[in-house]
Amino acid sequence: MITSNEYLRKIIHLFNLIIPFGYLFFINEKWDMVILLTVFTFLFLFVEILRNKIGWIKSLFNSLFNSMLRGHELDGKLTGATWVLIGALTSIMLFSKPVAIIALIFMSLGDTTAGLIGQNFGKHKVGNKSWEGFFSGLAVCIIVAINFPLLPLTVSLAGALTAMIMELVPIPLDDNFKIPLGAGAIMMMLTTSA
């Protein structure tokens, strides 16, 4: 059963949508978005260093966020929030605007759905993930692909499937990084080959 702290973590994960929607509606230029995300990424990395090196900052950070952090995040590794920024920055630098936006929406909505459904109803396991989480996340990503016609539907659907495959497979990278990069790479290949 999923804990209230995990629900809070997933709600915060949904706030990641501010990045692709900000890029879609408010920041037109790719390099303006790159500069903004670079500033935030370095700020988050600086906080990560401080929380792992300075005792009182670590105590303060843990008192504020400890209940939402995963075991590896407590052991000095980067938090999911920092990986979101790294994944978003990398995606926006590497991919066209429509591809980056769709890939980041897949990461936010698909990963959140897969996690919630998988943890609550996942009975058929694939490592520490589940088929129930995979198919629910895929359904949400398909809905995104249909409702955000920034790319040809076949390209977005291929990205949706890739996003959830990246969420499912046990590649030792954070989902917030591997989902948008995997989905974005496939969508870019399909758009450039068309």
Side-chain angles (χ1 to χ4, degrees):
M1 189 54 120
I2 197 164
T3 66
S4 60
N5 290 326
E6 186 65 18
Y7 279 117
L8 182 58
R9 183 181 172 98
K10 296 301 184 190
I11 289 168
I12 292 169
H13 196 60
L14 290 175
F15 281 104
N16 298 336
L17 288 169
I18 196 167
I19 298 170
F21 288 149
Y23 192 27
L24 179 62
F25 296 115
F26 301 110
I27 299 177
N28 293 323
E29 296 299 318
K30 174 182 203 155
W31 295 109
D32 291 342
M33 193 67 178
V34 167
I35 291 167
L36 180 65
L37 285 174
T38 299
V39 169
F40 277 102
T41 301
F42 277 109
L43 179 64
F44 274 58
L45 287 169
F46 183 65
V47 170
E48 294 274 8
I49 292 167
L50 292 179
R51 82 174 177 103
N52 288 306
K53 299 286 184 195
I54 300 173
W56 70 267
I57 293 178
K58 183 175 187 166
S59 296
L60 177 63
F61 189 91
N62 287 347
S63 68
L64 293 172
F65 303 110
N66 193 37
S67 61
M68 288 185 292
L69 296 178
R70 301 241 164 88
H72 67 278
E73 295 169 324
L74 293 169
D75 293 335
K77 295 200 173 143
L78 299 179
T79 63
T82 303
W83 278 113
V84 165
L85 289 168
I86 294 169
L89 177 60
T90 306
S91 297
I92 290 169
M93 287 178 67
L94 293 177
F95 306 139
S96 68
K97 185 172 183 173
V99 167
I101 289 167
I102 295 294
L104 292 170
I105 295 172
F106 288 162
M107 180 268 296
S108 186
L109 294 179
D111 187 38
T112 299
T113 303
L116 287 173
I117 299 299
Q119 289 178 42
N120 275 325
F121 305 105
K123 303 243 187 290
H124 303 90
K125 295 292 184 183
V126 179
N128 64 347
K129 307 288 177 106
S130 73
W131 286 113
E132 291 84 355
F134 171 83
F135 285 114
S136 62
L138 179 60
V140 167
C141 288
I142 289 170
I143 291 167
V144 169
I146 292 168
N147 287 289
F148 286 88
L150 302 174
L151 298 166
L153 183 58
T154 54
V155 172
S156 293
L157 291 174
L161 179 61
T162 304
M164 289 301 94
I165 289 171
M166 296 304 288
E167 195 275 337
L168 183 67
V169 296
I171 297 170
L173 292 170
D174 192 278
D175 287 351
N176 298 320
F177 182 75
K178 68 181 180 177
I179 289 173
L181 271 289
I186 291 296
M187 291 187 289
M188 280 300 289
M189 287 187 338
L190 293 173
T191 56
T192 56
S193 67

